[in-house]
Amino acid sequence: MGDSEQPFTLSVSDAELEALQRKLELARLPDEVDGAGWDYGVPLADVKRLLARWQNGFDWRAAEATVNKLPQFTRQVEVEGFGELNIHYVHQKSTVKNAIPLLFVHGWPGHFLEVEKLLPLLTAASPDHPSFHVVALSLPCFGFSDAPAKPGFNGAKYVETCNNLMLALGYNEYVVQGGDWGSFIARRLASTYGNQSVKAFHTNFPNVQVPPSLWKNPQQFFAHAVTPYTAAERAGIERTQWFLTKGCGYSHEQKTQPQTLGYALADSPVALLAWIYEKLVQWTDGYPWEDDEVLTWISVYWFSKPGPAASVRIYYETVVSNEHPKIPTSTIPCGLSFFPKEIIVPPKTWARTIGNVVFESEHQSGGHFAAHEKPEELAADVRAMFGKGGPAFGVVSGRVGYD
Amino acid sequence: MAHDERPFTISVADAELEFLQKKLALSRVPDELEGADWDYGVPLADVKRLLLRWQNGYDWRAAEAEINKIPQFTRQIEVEGFGKLDVHYVHQRSTVENAIPLLFIHGWPGHFLEVRKLLPLFTTASPDHPSFHVVALSLPGFGFSDAPTKRGFNGAKYAETCNKLMLALGYDEYVVQGGDWGSFIARILASKYGHQSVKAFHTNFPNVREPPSLWTHPRQFFAHLITPYSAAERVGLERTQWFVAQGRGYFHEQSTQPQTLGYALADSPVALLAWIYEKLVRWTDAYPWEDDEVLTWISVYWFSRSGPAASLRIYYETIAANEYSAILPTSTIPCGLSFFPKELTIPPKTWARTIGNVVYESRHQSGGHFAAHEKPEELAADIRAMFGKGGPAFGVVSGRAGYD
């Protein structure tokens, strides 16, 4: 079986760029209620400004060239029942030969580029912290990977894809970092391959929405019973409340009627812009988005290989496969980073039911897109977890992160 | 004030039609999973077929001319806190002078045209059944009415608009018929103006999602305790279950982020088509939609005066005003219910009777959410039975019993 890896260069055709511009020229915007602010969704002024920039000033070719500075590849990955999928990924090795192989997994509406700021931090060599060989894939249905053609591509299949990719790259043992769906996938990688190929995982999205149960997590149950919530935890519960009551409309639609929504995201760049930009703002902690930064993000979706409609199917498939809300646990070391503007912010005793939590870090700022908003902090957390003296030091045989 | 009323003709500008065609010519549709059918949403084959027809074959001008056969008007209605809104409505009087004034209220994704098939049935004269003078408005934010520009236009405001329209038309007393939001507004009209201007109401959307409580409806509570559900009621609960689990994504988005979704519906005719067509099919009982019929329906939204995004705000405003999940205040005025098996929320009778002073019930073997469009004969028959001689709401409007 030959190695099917090919170097990948992002190169959107001129025809695609022109087609997008023609659509933007014909954009039709709604009005807005007076003084709406963010109460009804994305403000009209933001959309108008971004639309104007997208038509005039935003330079996709320049953005593309920057993306192409990242070492990207594609290869065929076999997924049982689905044949071979062409998977796109960033693969940056550290100069440290014994760096720890780390798989970074994005979510929705994220993508592989969320790893961009982490790459230099995780791969840098230093006696003071461990180094990593980093792999960041475009999940199937996202970015520049294939989308499966058949129904049923659920969490288990995402997990299989990720593991097969790492094995194909020669990483028989590795660790995982993920937020959003990347967290869901990391936890399932842990429960499926924990103590085999997957040695530990870290997540900045401790998605636990129920308190510990006496039967499953007696230790956390009693801790929860006697420990009052901190001020941060109370704020976290409010943030979670907001998300579950006001911020979940997209999820309800995506998990029940992804195709219906898909027509909007595929046909209208304005629809796609609004749908995603809403999350980029509401899910981050005062992150100072620049217009071109937003437009690059949206463009990755617009120009994605399977198209933006495919990206929302993960919601549907995982629900019909009954993969929510219970995610099986694993005994492998697990690390958690808490950011106050994450969308689900459970108290610590709840979060510790995720698995064998050996590392926790609580931050004063930052939100859902931690790798993009707080790369230094996130990298520091991952380094602390896996470095010398850290609770997950040496989990990968022969690759402790230092030469 | 007769001089406030202006006859209305729909006349979409050529520029608008051309613009729509330009957009359709640039449409980009997604792929679809093998064998997806309706599992993931609207099937691709349906969208492609409708898209093609919309570009080639569908004749909006012909549809427009047909619509304009219905007598339509606009007038300014002052709504407290919102100034004057220009309200569009159908107004068809019966030849029967003492016909009962009836206000028909649509919902989402419905519109004033849902009254179309009912009009001849309601206004026609006969010794065997009552007749009605029919008013069917475009709710503010829909069709060819204005949309309010400020926040806070909630259910109470919709009810105020409706009542003022009827009073302005000289109907000091009237009855109401509504489904979907029309049902919600009918119930608010009953509770605010019951026994004053509003004398009775009928709904085909008995939207009650909880069993009767001992404290508020003791009689229904006990009836519920001891009455087993019929087969139809059990099926109804399953249908409701489906709707709540699978069919409410649109509701969640529209009630929390209507503006975000609004960008999609305003910019993409394909998005609008899919978003609404999904309901036209799922919420009806195998109604044999014709492509041109669907396209006319969608076009009313696309060409609506305030644009399709405005129509979503009713979800946000009513939830924000806590009007939706709270138990709606009831009224003692006569209330009639029609049950159609493919409605979205199909409560058992004991639950539904908590809606108000239910004097009339009718259960059908077929039909869904858009009863006026799917089952006009049956719906008209129900209303005639409720208000006709010998019916439980006969003569509720003084001097207008529905017969000459």
Side-chain angles (χ1 to χ4, degrees):
Chain A
M1 185 160 13
D3 189 321
S4 64
E5 183 174 277
Q6 302 283 329
F8 175 85
T9 305
L10 182 51
S11 183
V12 174
S13 71
D14 285 337
E16 282 285 337
L17 294 183
E18 281 155 28
L20 170 60
Q21 284 304 320
R22 285 205 296 275
K23 276 188 172 288
L24 294 175
E25 275 156 33
L26 287 188
R28 185 176 88 152
L29 296 175
D31 67 356
E32 186 183 58
V33 164
D34 292 346
W38 273 88
D39 294 349
Y40 292 72
V42 181
L44 184 57
D46 287 41
V47 172
K48 281 182 160 166
R49 191 189 71 244
L50 286 159
L51 190 51
R53 180 69 181 172
W54 211 348
Q55 294 181 267
N56 196 351
F58 174 66
D59 184 351
W60 167 256
R61 292 294 181 212
E64 199 176 59
T66 305
V67 171
N68 284 332
K69 291 187 180 150
L70 298 172
Q72 300 164 72
F73 307 86
T74 60
R75 69 166 59 222
Q76 298 289 95
V77 175
E78 174 91 33
V79 182
E80 210 179 309
F82 289 84
E84 281 183 351
L85 296 178
N86 195 254
I87 301 297
H88 161 256
Y89 52 99
V90 167
H91 184 196
Q92 180 141 59
K93 290 176 82 88
S94 170
T95 51
V96 174
K97 194 160 167 310
N98 291 327
I100 307 162
L102 181 146
L103 173 67
F104 174 89
V105 188
H106 71 82
W108 187 96
H111 43 48
F112 72 100
L113 279 177
E114 284 179 79
V115 80
E116 188 166 23
K117 301 181 194 183
L118 285 179
L119 274 179
L121 300 168
L122 292 178
T123 55
S126 163
D128 300 327
H129 62 69
S131 306
F132 302 83
H133 300 311
V134 179
V135 178
L137 82 164
S138 285
L139 289 170
C141 295
F142 291 79
F144 305 100
S145 289
D146 277 345
K150 297 167 26 178
F153 203 91
N154 58 9
K157 293 289 134 188
Y158 275 97
V159 163
E160 188 186 330
T161 306
C162 288
N163 192 55
N164 284 349
L165 174 64
M166 291 303 272
L167 295 179
L169 287 170
Y171 297 131
N172 297 329
E173 294 183 6
Y174 60 94
V175 303
V176 188
Q177 204 290 326
D180 196 81
W181 284 108
S183 176
F184 172 88
I185 290 166
R187 290 163 70 180
R188 296 193 80 92
L189 274 165
S191 69
T192 312
Y193 304 111
N195 293 312
Q196 299 160 53
S197 49
V198 178
K199 294 306 198 189
F201 74 97
H202 174 279
T203 182
N204 45 291
F205 183 47
N207 183 12
V208 179
Q209 295 174 35
V210 293
S213 93
L214 173 58
W215 314 117
K216 297 232 174 65
N217 301 97
Q219 202 191 354
Q220 293 308 329
F221 176 84
F222 285 111
H224 178 237
V226 304
T227 321
Y229 295 144
T230 63
E233 287 176 331
R234 281 197 304 278
I237 290 172
E238 273 180 40
R239 171 76 171 166
T240 307
Q241 260 314 86
W242 162 79
F243 173 69
L244 293 176
T245 52
K246 298 291 237 223
C248 266
Y250 79 103
S251 170
H252 280 276
E253 182 68 8
Q254 292 175 193
K255 70 187 183 195
T256 55
Q257 316 288 346
Q259 187 72 6
T260 297
L261 174 65
Y263 294 107
L265 303 183
D267 187 53
S268 166
V270 178
L272 182 68
L273 169 68
W275 200 256
I276 292 180
Y277 177 69
E278 184 200 282
K279 305 316 182 193
L280 297 185
V281 173
Q282 290 186 350
W283 293 2
T284 52
D285 191 359
Y287 179 78
W289 290 100
E290 288 180 17
D291 287 352
D292 287 0
E293 191 180 6
V294 171
L295 292 171
T296 300
W297 194 295
I298 306 299
S299 295
V300 168
Y301 269 83
W302 184 257
F303 295 128
S304 61
K305 184 173 181 184
S311 73
V312 300
R313 289 175 194 150
I314 188 171
Y315 289 78
Y316 179 95
E317 300 292 5
T318 52
V319 166
V320 303
S321 289
N322 280 322
E323 289 174 328
H324 302 277
K326 294 236 153 67
I327 304 177
T329 55
S330 162
T331 54
I332 64 172
C334 150
L336 309 178
S337 293
F338 293 83
F339 290 92
K341 286 290 194 264
E342 181 54 275
I343 49 185
I344 304 277
V345 191
K348 304 269 187 327
T349 50
W350 302 24
R352 287 171 193 146
T353 63
I354 282 184
N356 174 21
V357 178
V358 303
F359 175 87
E360 284 176 10
S361 173
E362 183 156 21
H363 296 273
Q364 302 311 309
S365 62
H368 184 72
F369 295 102
H372 193 77
E373 293 176 77
K374 299 285 173 188
E376 306 271 354
E377 289 81 351
L378 189 62
D381 286 354
V382 173
R383 287 170 174 175
M385 177 176 171
F386 290 103
K388 279 178 186 155
F393 176 68
V395 287
V396 173
S397 338
R399 297 190 197 239
V400 300
Y402 305 81
D403 272 339
Chain B
M1 296 261 236
H3 68 267
D4 283 341
E5 181 175 274
R6 292 188 304 285
F8 178 82
T9 309
I10 302 179
S11 184
V12 175
D14 285 337
E16 282 288 335
L17 295 183
E18 281 154 29
F19 181 72
L20 171 60
Q21 286 303 320
K22 286 208 204 90
K23 275 192 168 290
L24 294 174
L26 289 187
S27 352
R28 186 174 89 153
V29 291
D31 70 355
E32 183 183 61
L33 293 176
E34 288 163 19
D37 193 47
W38 275 88
D39 293 350
Y40 291 76
V42 181
L44 184 58
D46 287 41
V47 170
K48 281 179 156 168
R49 191 190 71 244
L50 285 159
L51 197 45
L52 225 55
R53 179 71 181 168
W54 213 348
Q55 294 180 269
N56 197 351
Y58 175 69
D59 184 352
W60 166 257
R61 291 293 181 213
E64 198 178 59
E66 280 302 302
I67 297 172
N68 284 332
K69 290 182 181 161
I70 306 170
Q72 299 163 71
F73 308 87
T74 59
R75 66 167 63 221
Q76 303 263 290
I77 301 288
E78 174 94 35
V79 180
E80 216 179 302
F82 289 84
K84 289 199 170 130
L85 296 177
D86 206 51
V87 177
H88 161 255
Y89 55 99
V90 167
H91 184 197
Q92 180 144 63
R93 286 178 67 87
S94 170
T95 50
V96 175
E97 183 65 31
N98 292 329
I100 307 162
L102 181 146
L103 173 66
F104 174 89
I105 312 179
H106 70 83
W108 187 94
H111 44 48
F112 73 100
L113 277 178
E114 283 180 77
V115 79
R116 193 176 203 169
K117 302 181 193 183
L118 287 176
L119 276 178
L121 301 168
F122 278 153
T123 54
T124 193
S126 162
D128 299 328
H129 62 69
S131 306
F132 301 83
H133 300 310
V134 181
V135 178
L137 81 165
S138 286
L139 290 171
F142 291 78
F144 303 99
S145 289
D146 273 344
T149 52
K150 293 167 33 177
R151 66 169 71 215
F153 203 92
N154 59 6
K157 292 287 136 190
Y158 276 99
E160 184 188 330
T161 306
C162 288
N163 190 54
K164 284 185 168 159
L165 174 63
M166 292 304 272
L167 296 179
L169 287 171
Y171 297 132
D172 295 334
E173 294 182 8
Y174 59 94
V175 304
V176 187
Q177 205 289 327
D180 197 81
W181 284 110
S183 176
F184 175 83
I185 294 167
R187 290 162 72 180
I188 297 183
L189 278 165
S191 75
K192 278 164 75 82
Y193 310 110
H195 297 294
Q196 300 158 53
S197 48
V198 179
K199 294 306 198 188
F201 74 98
H202 173 280
T203 182
N204 45 291
F205 184 47
N207 188 16
V208 178
R209 298 198 302 275
E210 287 170 3
S213 99
L214 173 58
W215 314 116
T216 52
H217 294 95
R219 187 147 63 109
Q220 292 309 329
F221 175 82
F222 286 110
H224 177 237
L225 273 186
I226 61 175
T227 320
Y229 295 144
S230 67
E233 287 177 331
R234 280 197 303 278
V235 168
L237 282 169
E238 274 176 40
R239 171 78 170 167
T240 307
Q241 188 65 356
W242 161 81
F243 175 64
V244 170
Q246 305 279 326
R248 278 187 111 223
Y250 80 100
F251 186 98
H252 281 275
E253 182 67 11
Q254 293 175 197
S255 59
T256 55
Q257 315 284 353
Q259 188 72 7
T260 297
L261 174 63
Y263 294 106
L265 303 187
D267 187 52
S268 166
V270 178
L272 182 67
L273 168 68
W275 200 258
I276 292 181
Y277 177 69
E278 187 204 281
K279 306 316 182 193
L280 297 185
V281 173
R282 285 194 203 274
W283 293 3
T284 52
D285 191 358
Y287 178 78
W289 291 101
E290 289 179 16
D291 286 353
D292 287 1
E293 191 180 7
V294 171
L295 292 171
T296 298
W297 195 294
I298 306 300
S299 295
V300 169
Y301 268 83
W302 183 258
F303 295 129
S304 60
R305 185 166 177 177
S306 317
S311 72
L312 310 177
R313 291 172 197 153
I314 188 170
Y315 289 82
Y316 180 95
E317 299 293 4
T318 51
I319 304 275
N322 273 326
E323 287 172 325
Y324 192 79
S325 47
I327 309 225
L328 288 184
T330 55
S331 162
T332 53
I333 64 172
C335 152
L337 309 177
S338 293
F339 295 82
F340 291 91
K342 287 288 195 264
E343 183 50 281
L344 309 172
T345 317
I346 306 178
K349 272 202 271 308
T350 50
W351 303 23
R353 288 173 189 150
T354 62
I355 284 184
N357 174 21
V358 178
V359 303
Y360 175 85
E361 283 173 7
S362 173
R363 198 171 274 278
H364 295 273
Q365 301 310 309
S366 62
H369 184 72
F370 295 102
H373 194 75
E374 297 177 70
K375 300 286 174 185
E377 305 272 354
E378 289 81 351
L379 190 61
D382 287 355
I383 289 155
R384 289 168 173 176
M386 178 177 171
F387 290 102
K389 280 178 181 152
F394 176 66
V396 286
V397 172
S398 337
R400 298 189 196 240
Y403 305 81
D404 272 337

